[in-house]
């Protein structure tokens, strides 16, 4: 089958940073689905791993996590899906990825694709939806569906992939006042369309931006990028007993200054259940099922921003370049081989 991979870590500008290859079609394990891939999206995790995670010597590493496709075969212990089902999912970082014509994935982290949107629109959703959902409802503990709260959440980088869906979930499924950061006219407009009540500029001190809104303190902060850079402002902005949830990768992060206000600090990585085969691994199936229902009922929308065309090395390098620029908005999708 066709696939896109790499044999060594190289800058995205290097000709062999990603290459078109031919590999054997995978065989599903007991809990696995064999999926014929229709569309994928590209995430910052893809870029980080391509740049810094070496493959096994002499073997190509296949990246890619988000995918939409059709189930072609199922493993012996599969009970949730059958051949012919259209599915969407975010996969696992400890298995070969979705930059391939066929892909195997544990059924317990898969959902049926939303019926009312295209494969390309659906491919934009899984990884960011799972991350945003787990961050908001599991890590921060915000009550799902309760609209009677008088608290606020600050989402740093509201126009990114996770921010775009987190803003929607917080606005439509909680009673929180949603404040997101953005700095360019197009990203400000995107964040407002996603449901943010207010937008502040992350190039300025965050606590200053909140005070200018007349909201000097918030109960929650979602640190989606540059959390170490914003650390002092986040501490100032949080109410006593507030909470920060992070997804980025600062080299170091000192949580001692959070003690005075009794602030809690949480990490969110949606790959943890597949990395450790946690007892609640099937919770991701449930979340994706709920996301599909919310999409089909019009409560949330796809965050697809650009379709870069066919799934091949050239187009994937273009997508990685865009993500590395830090000027992306929403999600980049590719489809077909």
């Amino acid at each position: 089958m066709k696939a896109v991979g790499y044999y060594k870590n190289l800058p995205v500008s290097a000709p062999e940073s990603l290459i078109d290859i031919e590999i054997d079609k995978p065989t599903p394990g007991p809990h696995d689905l064999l999926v014929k891939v229709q569309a994928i999206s590209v995430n910052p995790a893809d870029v980080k791993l391509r740049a810094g995670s070496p493959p096994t010597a002499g073997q190509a590493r296949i990246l890619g996590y988000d995918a939409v496709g059709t189930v072609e075969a199922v493993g012996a212990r599969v009970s949730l899906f059958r051949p012919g089902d259209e599915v969407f999912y975010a996969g696992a970082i400890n298995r070969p990825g979705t930059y391939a014509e066929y892909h195997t994935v544990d059924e317990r982290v898969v959902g049926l694709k939303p019926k009312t949107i295209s494969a390309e629109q659906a491919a934009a959703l899984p990884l960011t939806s799972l991350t945003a959902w787990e961050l908001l409802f599991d890590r921060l503990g915000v009550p799902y569906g309760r609209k009677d709260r008088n608290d606020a959440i600050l989402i740093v980088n509201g126009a990114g992939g996770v921010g775009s869906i987190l803003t929607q979930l917080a606005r439509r499924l909680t009673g929180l006042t949603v404040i997101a950061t953005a700095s360019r006219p197009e990203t400000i407009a995107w964040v407002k369309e996603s449901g943010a009540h207010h937008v502040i500029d992350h190039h300025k001190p965050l606590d200053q931006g909140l005070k200018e809104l007349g909201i000097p303190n918030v109960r929650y902060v979602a640190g989606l990028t540059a959390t170490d850079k914003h650390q002092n402002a986040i501490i100032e902005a949080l109410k006593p007993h507030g909470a920060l949830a992070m997804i980025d990768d600062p080299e170091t992060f000192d949580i001692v200054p959070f003690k005075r206000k009794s602030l809690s600090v949480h990490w969110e990585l949606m790959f943890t259940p597949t990395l450790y085969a946690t007892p609640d691994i099937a919770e991701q199936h449930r979340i994706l099922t709920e996301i599909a229902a919310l999409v089909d009922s019009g409560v949330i929308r796809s965050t697809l921003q650009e379709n870069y065309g066919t799934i091949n090395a050239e187009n994937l390098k273009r997508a990685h370049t865009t993500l590395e620029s830090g000027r992306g908005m929403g999600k980049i999708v590719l489809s077909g081989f």
Side-chain angles (χ1 to χ4, degrees), residues 66 88 117 121-130 165 295 301-303:
D66 282 326
F88 75 144
I117 59 176
Q121 290 171 311
L125 290 170
L127 187 149
T128 53
S129 295
L130 288 166
I165 195 72
V295 170
R301 65 175 189 177
S302 171
T303 55

Side-chain angles (χ1 to χ4, degrees), residues 22-55:
E22 293 269 342
I23 59 173
D24 292 335
K25 187 175 174 180
T27 301
H31 283 288
D32 286 349
L33 311 176
L34 176 65
V35 177
K36 182 174 175 57
V37 174
Q38 296 172 260
I40 63 172
S41 76
V42 183
N43 291 283
D46 306 31
V47 174
K48 291 175 188 174
L49 291 169
R50 189 214 79 242
S53 180

Side-chain angles (χ1 to χ4, degrees), residues 208-252:
Q208 176 186 317
L210 289 172
K211 288 173 183 174
E212 290 172 0
L213 286 179
I215 306 174
N217 297 106
V218 298
R219 178 70 60 191
Y220 308 104
V221 173
L224 308 182
T225 189
T227 309
D228 51 346
K229 173 186 171 184
H230 296 300
Q231 176 173 337
N232 291 337
I234 288 170
I235 293 169
E236 287 295 319
L238 279 168
K239 293 180 178 180
H241 305 130
L244 163 68
M246 307 164 57
I247 67 168
D248 55 337
D249 298 295
E251 287 189 18
T252 60

Side-chain angles (χ1 to χ4, degrees), residues 103-259:
H103 184 248
T104 51
V105 61
D106 190 311
E107 67 160 347
R108 295 169 292 183
V109 297
V110 176
L112 287 171
K113 170 192 164 292
K115 296 181 176 65
T116 57
I117 59 176
S118 68
E120 290 79 10
Q121 290 171 311
L125 290 170
L127 187 149
T128 53
S129 295
L130 288 166
T131 300
W133 188 286
E134 292 178 357
L135 183 150
L136 185 63
F137 299 120
D138 298 336
R139 306 296 159 257
L140 292 178
V142 177
Y144 174 91
R146 274 184 52 186
K147 298 297 184 77
D148 59 345
R149 296 182 66 84
N150 192 32
D151 288 323
I153 184 170
L154 172 62
I155 299 171
V156 182
N157 191 24
V162 174
S164 296
I165 195 72
L166 178 58
T167 300
Q168 295 183 64
L169 295 178
R171 177 62 187 266
R172 294 175 176 88
L173 301 179
T174 79
L176 297 173
T177 297
V178 181
I179 305 155
T181 77
S183 60
R184 308 194 309 272
E186 61 270 28
T187 56
I188 292 169
W190 175 266
V191 166
K192 288 181 176 178
E193 289 170 11
S194 297
H197 293 94
H198 307 284
V199 183
I200 63 174
D201 187 347
H202 46 235
H203 293 303
K204 300 176 182 178
L206 301 179
D207 54 327
Q208 176 186 317
L210 289 172
K211 288 173 183 174
E212 290 172 0
L213 286 179
I215 306 174
N217 297 106
V218 298
R219 178 70 60 191
Y220 308 104
V221 173
L224 308 182
T225 189
T227 309
D228 51 346
K229 173 186 171 184
H230 296 300
Q231 176 173 337
N232 291 337
I234 288 170
I235 293 169
E236 287 295 319
L238 279 168
K239 293 180 178 180
H241 305 130
L244 163 68
M246 307 164 57
I247 67 168
D248 55 337
D249 298 295
E251 287 189 18
T252 60
F253 193 79
D254 181 10
I255 65 170
V256 172
F258 288 77
K259 180 179 180 180

Side-chain angles (χ1 to χ4, degrees), residues 6 20 28 63 67 72 74 86 88 93 131 182 208 222 238 248 279 291:
Y6 67 98
D20 296 303
L63 295 172
E72 182 162 293
V74 300
E86 285 191 291
F88 75 144
I93 57 174
T131 300
Q208 176 186 317
L238 279 168
D248 55 337
I291 291 293

Side-chain angles (χ1 to χ4, degrees), residues 272-285:
T272 297
T274 48
L275 279 170
Y276 294 96
T278 59
D280 64 347
I281 188 171
E283 184 68 6
Q284 293 199 342
H285 163 70

Side-chain angles (χ1 to χ4, degrees), residues 297-329:
S297 61
V299 175
I300 61 174
R301 65 175 189 177
S302 171
T303 55
L304 167 62
Q305 178 65 15
E306 292 186 86
N307 187 331
Y308 275 25
T310 303
I311 302 168
N312 60 36
E314 180 183 358
N315 289 337
L316 280 163
K317 282 191 277 191
R318 220 166 34 101
H320 280 229
T321 300
T322 299
L323 288 183
E324 286 185 352
S325 76
R327 296 182 64 82
M329 184 170 66

